[in-house]
Amino acid sequence: MRIARFATSDSEPSFGVVHGEPGAEEVFAIKGDPFYQQLVPTGVRHPLEDVRLLAPIIPRSKVVGVGRNYADHAAELGNELPPSPLLFFKPNTAVIGPTDPVLMPEFSDEISYEAELAVVIGKICKDVTPDRVKDVIFGYTCGNDVTARDIQRTDNQWARAKGFDTSCPLGPWIETDLDPENLRITGALDGDVVQDGSTADMIFGVTDLVVHASQAFTLLPGDVILTGTPAGVGTIRENQRFEVEIEGIGALSNLFLRR
């Protein structure tokens, strides 16, 4: 099931279920928040092209990033592989949707894209055991862990480099029925594929990441875990567009602009 968050010209943001084949999709509006109540249709539906897709979730508390989780990406940046998942935070103010521009901050001259599978948590949980991981996941979406690479090198931690406003595009929707273990993930810069990998190549898989993160802090419904990026990361310039596409989910495309 594809759960979207959307708005129309005469409505407030709301959730809906996306049905149909590409080119003929419709959004069926639902009542309330699917993270806290059952799906109840309102009877209203819209052609997908008539709505504006928003970030499918604005995390209640946090986005948990995972660094160097693909061996080829760690190698291309000259980094050693971490012995355990390398975690960092992005604030929820970094999150934008598939139609929003990434606003490149003035303090950085080297902005990078990072195509990633994003895990969306569905239940409050702590110290999750491997056999319970599937029970606490709501679904999956595409993410772009936008990074100010020069700031990452010069700061002693990654808060500015990875947490600035608009640095976490998510979308286009949340796919709730998906096996994340072997999905093709690509990133295209102005239509040219520059990243092409598989979630099977992650050093630590989704189960490992949820277990590890939940040992450190309580995960809340709507929290997001970004699972790392394959090789091919590079810089992006103003007025270029980057598209993340993940098998079984869809595509997330954002234009990059300067403030």
Side-chain angles (χ1 to χ4, degrees), residues 15 23 42-43 48 87 104 125-126 149 165 185 191-192 239 243 254:
F15 287 94
T42 65
L48 183 62
L87 305 184
M104 304 161 73
C125 57
K126 180 73 169 71
R149 198 68 67 191
D165 288 353
I185 176 171
D192 294 326
N239 294 318
E243 182 173 274
N254 297 89

PDB file of all heavy atoms in Angstrom, residues 15 23 42-43 48 87 104 125-126 149 165 185 191-192 239 243 254:
ATOM      1  N   PHE A  15      -3.685  12.923   4.370  1.00  0.00           N
ATOM      2  CA  PHE A  15      -3.129  11.653   3.921  1.00  0.00           C
ATOM      3  C   PHE A  15      -4.077  10.974   2.946  1.00  0.00           C
ATOM      4  O   PHE A  15      -5.298  11.191   2.968  1.00  0.00           O
ATOM      5  CB  PHE A  15      -2.881  10.724   5.113  1.00  0.00           C
ATOM      6  CG  PHE A  15      -1.713  11.111   5.972  1.00  0.00           C
ATOM      7  CD1 PHE A  15      -1.898  11.902   7.100  1.00  0.00           C
ATOM      8  CD2 PHE A  15      -0.431  10.688   5.663  1.00  0.00           C
ATOM      9  CE1 PHE A  15      -0.823  12.260   7.903  1.00  0.00           C
ATOM     10  CE2 PHE A  15       0.651  11.042   6.451  1.00  0.00           C
ATOM     11  CZ  PHE A  15       0.451  11.826   7.574  1.00  0.00           C
ATOM     12  N   GLY A  23       0.837   6.774 -14.565  1.00  0.00           N
ATOM     13  CA  GLY A  23       0.128   7.521 -15.590  1.00  0.00           C
ATOM     14  C   GLY A  23      -1.363   7.583 -15.381  1.00  0.00           C
ATOM     15  O   GLY A  23      -2.051   8.398 -16.010  1.00  0.00           O
ATOM     16  N   THR A  42     -12.446   8.798   3.010  1.00  0.00           N
ATOM     17  CA  THR A  42     -13.412   9.891   3.075  1.00  0.00           C
ATOM     18  C   THR A  42     -14.389   9.851   1.911  1.00  0.00           C
ATOM     19  O   THR A  42     -15.409  10.554   1.929  1.00  0.00           O
ATOM     20  CB  THR A  42     -12.699  11.248   3.041  1.00  0.00           C
ATOM     21  OG1 THR A  42     -12.056  11.411   1.771  1.00  0.00           O
ATOM     22  CG2 THR A  42     -11.670  11.348   4.163  1.00  0.00           C
ATOM     23  N   GLY A  43     -14.087   9.074   0.880  1.00  0.00           N
ATOM     24  CA  GLY A  43     -14.898   9.060  -0.325  1.00  0.00           C
ATOM     25  C   GLY A  43     -14.428  10.050  -1.374  1.00  0.00           C
ATOM     26  O   GLY A  43     -14.947  10.072  -2.490  1.00  0.00           O
ATOM     27  N   LEU A  48      -3.700  11.862  -9.476  1.00  0.00           N
ATOM     28  CA  LEU A  48      -2.417  12.189  -8.863  1.00  0.00           C
ATOM     29  C   LEU A  48      -1.849  13.498  -9.407  1.00  0.00           C
ATOM     30  O   LEU A  48      -1.255  14.289  -8.655  1.00  0.00           O
ATOM     31  CB  LEU A  48      -1.424  11.045  -9.092  1.00  0.00           C
ATOM     32  CG  LEU A  48      -0.045  11.201  -8.442  1.00  0.00           C
ATOM     33  CD1 LEU A  48      -0.170  11.267  -6.924  1.00  0.00           C
ATOM     34  CD2 LEU A  48       0.880  10.046  -8.841  1.00  0.00           C
ATOM     35  N   LEU A  87      25.865   6.357  13.583  1.00  0.00           N
ATOM     36  CA  LEU A  87      24.605   7.086  13.604  1.00  0.00           C
ATOM     37  C   LEU A  87      24.815   8.582  13.781  1.00  0.00           C
ATOM     38  O   LEU A  87      25.745   9.022  14.454  1.00  0.00           O
ATOM     39  CB  LEU A  87      23.707   6.569  14.735  1.00  0.00           C
ATOM     40  CG  LEU A  87      23.397   5.072  14.753  1.00  0.00           C
ATOM     41  CD1 LEU A  87      22.424   4.755  15.891  1.00  0.00           C
ATOM     42  CD2 LEU A  87      22.845   4.596  13.418  1.00  0.00           C
ATOM     43  N   MET A 104      20.429  25.397  -1.090  1.00  0.00           N
ATOM     44  CA  MET A 104      21.832  25.199  -0.752  1.00  0.00           C
ATOM     45  C   MET A 104      22.313  26.357   0.119  1.00  0.00           C
ATOM     46  O   MET A 104      22.188  27.523  -0.274  1.00  0.00           O
ATOM     47  CB  MET A 104      22.653  25.081  -2.035  1.00  0.00           C
ATOM     48  CG  MET A 104      22.143  23.975  -2.961  1.00  0.00           C
ATOM     49  SD  MET A 104      22.695  24.126  -4.680  1.00  0.00           S
ATOM     50  CE  MET A 104      24.417  23.664  -4.518  1.00  0.00           C
ATOM     51  N   CYS A 125       8.898   2.417  20.271  1.00  0.00           N
ATOM     52  CA  CYS A 125       9.641   1.198  20.571  1.00  0.00           C
ATOM     53  C   CYS A 125      11.003   1.525  21.160  1.00  0.00           C
ATOM     54  O   CYS A 125      11.594   2.571  20.887  1.00  0.00           O
ATOM     55  CB  CYS A 125       9.805   0.328  19.329  1.00  0.00           C
ATOM     56  SG  CYS A 125      10.609   1.145  17.924  1.00  0.00           S
ATOM     57  N   LYS A 126      11.505   0.615  21.956  1.00  0.00           N
ATOM     58  CA  LYS A 126      12.824   0.724  22.583  1.00  0.00           C
ATOM     59  C   LYS A 126      13.379  -0.674  22.737  1.00  0.00           C
ATOM     60  O   LYS A 126      12.645  -1.626  23.044  1.00  0.00           O
ATOM     61  CB  LYS A 126      12.700   1.404  23.959  1.00  0.00           C
ATOM     62  CG  LYS A 126      14.018   1.571  24.714  1.00  0.00           C
ATOM     63  CD  LYS A 126      14.880   2.657  24.082  1.00  0.00           C
ATOM     64  CE  LYS A 126      16.079   3.023  24.975  1.00  0.00           C
ATOM     65  NZ  LYS A 126      17.085   1.960  25.011  1.00  0.00           N
ATOM     66  N   ARG A 149      29.587  18.841   2.030  1.00  0.00           N
ATOM     67  CA  ARG A 149      30.783  18.004   2.188  1.00  0.00           C
ATOM     68  C   ARG A 149      31.962  18.788   2.753  1.00  0.00           C
ATOM     69  O   ARG A 149      32.741  18.251   3.555  1.00  0.00           O
ATOM     70  CB  ARG A 149      31.152  17.384   0.835  1.00  0.00           C
ATOM     71  CG  ARG A 149      32.084  16.193   0.942  1.00  0.00           C
ATOM     72  CD  ARG A 149      31.408  15.002   1.598  1.00  0.00           C
ATOM     73  NE  ARG A 149      30.352  14.452   0.774  1.00  0.00           N
ATOM     74  CZ  ARG A 149      29.466  13.555   1.196  1.00  0.00           C
ATOM     75  NH1 ARG A 149      29.502  13.128   2.450  1.00  0.00           N
ATOM     76  NH2 ARG A 149      28.532  13.095   0.404  1.00  0.00           N
ATOM     77  N   ASP A 165      18.462  23.230   6.951  1.00  0.00           N
ATOM     78  CA  ASP A 165      17.100  23.225   6.406  1.00  0.00           C
ATOM     79  C   ASP A 165      17.100  22.746   4.959  1.00  0.00           C
ATOM     80  O   ASP A 165      17.936  23.146   4.154  1.00  0.00           O
ATOM     81  CB  ASP A 165      16.500  24.628   6.462  1.00  0.00           C
ATOM     82  CG  ASP A 165      16.145  25.076   7.870  1.00  0.00           C
ATOM     83  OD1 ASP A 165      16.246  24.256   8.803  1.00  0.00           O
ATOM     84  OD2 ASP A 165      15.759  26.257   8.028  1.00  0.00           O
ATOM     85  N   ILE A 185      18.693   0.650  -6.061  1.00  0.00           N
ATOM     86  CA  ILE A 185      18.604   2.060  -5.694  1.00  0.00           C
ATOM     87  C   ILE A 185      19.516   2.855  -6.623  1.00  0.00           C
ATOM     88  O   ILE A 185      20.702   2.536  -6.766  1.00  0.00           O
ATOM     89  CB  ILE A 185      18.957   2.279  -4.211  1.00  0.00           C
ATOM     90  CG1 ILE A 185      18.964   3.774  -3.860  1.00  0.00           C
ATOM     91  CG2 ILE A 185      20.265   1.617  -3.829  1.00  0.00           C
ATOM     92  CD1 ILE A 185      19.080   4.031  -2.364  1.00  0.00           C
ATOM     93  N   GLY A 191      19.198  13.610 -15.063  1.00  0.00           N
ATOM     94  CA  GLY A 191      18.846  12.503 -15.948  1.00  0.00           C
ATOM     95  C   GLY A 191      19.930  11.474 -16.167  1.00  0.00           C
ATOM     96  O   GLY A 191      19.656  10.394 -16.713  1.00  0.00           O
ATOM     97  N   ASP A 192      21.164  11.758 -15.753  1.00  0.00           N
ATOM     98  CA  ASP A 192      22.272  10.813 -15.928  1.00  0.00           C
ATOM     99  C   ASP A 192      22.464  10.022 -14.636  1.00  0.00           C
ATOM    100  O   ASP A 192      22.689  10.612 -13.566  1.00  0.00           O
ATOM    101  CB  ASP A 192      23.563  11.549 -16.270  1.00  0.00           C
ATOM    102  CG  ASP A 192      23.495  12.243 -17.620  1.00  0.00           C
ATOM    103  OD1 ASP A 192      22.828  11.698 -18.528  1.00  0.00           O
ATOM    104  OD2 ASP A 192      24.095  13.324 -17.759  1.00  0.00           O
ATOM    105  N   ASN A 239      20.486  24.888  -9.762  1.00  0.00           N
ATOM    106  CA  ASN A 239      19.606  24.647 -10.910  1.00  0.00           C
ATOM    107  C   ASN A 239      19.775  23.252 -11.511  1.00  0.00           C
ATOM    108  O   ASN A 239      19.233  22.980 -12.597  1.00  0.00           O
ATOM    109  CB  ASN A 239      19.785  25.712 -12.002  1.00  0.00           C
ATOM    110  CG  ASN A 239      19.338  27.083 -11.537  1.00  0.00           C
ATOM    111  OD1 ASN A 239      18.302  27.212 -10.879  1.00  0.00           O
ATOM    112  ND2 ASN A 239      20.124  28.103 -11.854  1.00  0.00           N
ATOM    113  N   GLU A 243      17.441  12.927  -8.784  1.00  0.00           N
ATOM    114  CA  GLU A 243      16.310  12.009  -8.612  1.00  0.00           C
ATOM    115  C   GLU A 243      16.771  10.702  -7.993  1.00  0.00           C
ATOM    116  O   GLU A 243      17.689  10.049  -8.505  1.00  0.00           O
ATOM    117  CB  GLU A 243      15.623  11.731  -9.947  1.00  0.00           C
ATOM    118  CG  GLU A 243      14.406  10.821  -9.813  1.00  0.00           C
ATOM    119  CD  GLU A 243      13.637  10.685 -11.108  1.00  0.00           C
ATOM    120  OE1 GLU A 243      12.772  11.539 -11.371  1.00  0.00           O
ATOM    121  OE2 GLU A 243      13.915   9.724 -11.859  1.00  0.00           O
ATOM    122  N   ASN A 254      14.182  16.389  -6.810  1.00  0.00           N
ATOM    123  CA  ASN A 254      14.250  17.723  -6.240  1.00  0.00           C
ATOM    124  C   ASN A 254      15.221  18.601  -7.004  1.00  0.00           C
ATOM    125  O   ASN A 254      16.321  18.167  -7.369  1.00  0.00           O
ATOM    126  CB  ASN A 254      14.690  17.669  -4.772  1.00  0.00           C
ATOM    127  CG  ASN A 254      13.728  16.924  -3.889  1.00  0.00           C
ATOM    128  OD1 ASN A 254      13.847  15.714  -3.730  1.00  0.00           O
ATOM    129  ND2 ASN A 254      12.762  17.635  -3.328  1.00  0.00           N
TER     130      ASN A 254
END
